[in-house]
Amino acid sequence: MIKGSCCCGAVQFELAEAPTMMWTCHCSRCRKVGASTLVFVKSEAFRIVKGRDKISTFEAEHPYKYDRCFCSVCGTALGEVLSNEDSFPLAANCIDEDLGLKNKFHEFVSEKPAWLDIGDKARQFDEHPAFES
Ligand SMILES: [Zn+2]
Ligand SMILES: [Zn+2]
């Protein structure tokens, strides 16, 4: 079982199955909520162990379609952990163990701030890549 949590520990979750993909989004929205590197997880493999009542949601407004969840105690961005979809993005920063995964690509590099230099060799896309809609 892979474990994860927010900064203060109020929210804890576990994954029965390792995520298969990790990527980094440089859009201003991901950057500001503090969840730029994400992993894709299956909802059936994800379970909130503690603190579901501590999770707040920042609802998406058009043109954005994804709600952002965060710990209401410490503010840690969690990804879309209350999603009703079959799979959803989870903030990689919250996972407490090494996944043996590396960043696969960077998206919305066009919105990346000038002060950030990308330090890996993963593919870069100015917007959302066509292969992952
Ligand atoms: Zn917290
Ligand atoms: Zn983004």
Side-chain angles (χ1 to χ4, degrees), residues 25-31 35-36 38 64 68 107-108:
C25 181
H26 296 276
C27 83
S28 60
R29 218 164 160 260
C30 287
R31 185 172 77 241
S36 284
L38 301 151
Y64 301 107
R68 303 305 176 89
E107 64 177 353
F108 292 100

Side-chain angles (χ1 to χ4, degrees), residues 6-64:
C6 64
C7 182
C8 76
V11 178
Q12 294 177 17
F13 59 84
E14 60 187 24
L15 290 168
E17 204 176 302
T20 52
M21 187 174 69
M22 175 184 285
W23 78 102
T24 300
C25 181
H26 296 276
C27 83
S28 60
R29 218 164 160 260
C30 287
R31 185 172 77 241
K32 289 189 180 186
V33 301
S36 284
T37 299
L38 301 151
V39 291
F40 222 49
V41 298
K42 286 184 191 159
S43 299
E44 61 184 19
F46 177 83
R47 191 171 78 87
I48 296 169
V49 177
K50 191 181 152 205
R52 193 190 170 95
D53 60 326
K54 299 289 194 303
I55 299 173
S56 292
T57 301
F58 169 50
E59 286 176 21
E61 285 172 32
H62 185 79
Y64 301 107

